[in-house]
Amino acid sequence: MSVTISSCPSPTPVQPTPPPTPEALAYSLTLPAAPASPAVARAAARTILRTHGLQDVTDAAVQVVGELAASACRFTPTAEVYVSLRYREGALRVIVYDGHPRHTHPRLAAACEARRRADLRVLACVVRACGGDWGFGEAREPTGGTRMWAVLPRQGARAYAQAGHTHG
């Protein structure tokens, strides 16, 4: 009886890669809509920003990520929320999706928007202090829901940290 032995191919040697740059920052997380998820999102953001050499925006960014994730977890009727971090054109872009659909009745929609704005008042202060922009609206995704976003210019987020604004 002859025995054939085959071996797996040798692994390809790992080539050294340059350290990640800010411009290469593009991460997405799907988190359970649970009380612990904002803390997980903040911890992930800290690690991601440090890895990409963006320690100078960490204070503002972690606060923004936590505020958006907490709001999404409070508003969503679904089991998950989605968090996206991107760095483009000198600014960190944070987008969070939740499953809360837009109300069709105008008064109900206005009341819900007022509640969400009130829920995001700390976020509004942080983004304003950084010279950024934020908002929310109907998600363009096929599943619907709400898209919340914040844009933090690096220079403004750096000044925010230097001014001693520390959170989260």
Side-chain angles (χ1 to χ4, degrees), residues 4-42:
T4 305
I5 300 176
S6 66
S7 65
C8 295
S10 302
T12 306
V14 176
Q15 299 296 321
T17 58
T21 63
E23 291 72 23
L25 191 151
Y27 291 82
S28 300
L29 306 163
T30 301
L31 300 167
S37 289
V40 171
R42 288 190 306 268

Side-chain angles (χ1 to χ4, degrees), residues 92-161:
L92 180 69
R93 302 169 191 307
V94 181
I95 301 172
V96 177
Y97 292 93
D98 67 55
H100 184 75
R102 179 154 177 80
H103 298 282
T104 55
H105 190 280
R107 275 195 228 131
L108 191 53
C112 189
E113 285 183 16
R115 273 187 58 219
R116 198 178 286 258
R117 250 182 230 297
D119 196 50
L120 294 170
R121 66 187 172 278
V122 171
L123 168 109
C125 292
V126 173
V127 173
R128 186 174 37 252
C130 293
D133 195 16
W134 72 279
F136 60 87
E138 190 169 0
R140 298 178 210 130
E141 303 301 311
T143 55
T146 299
R147 173 183 177 262
M148 298 181 288
W149 53 271
V151 178
L152 298 173
R154 186 173 188 179
Q155 192 170 354
R158 182 183 304 130
Y160 177 87

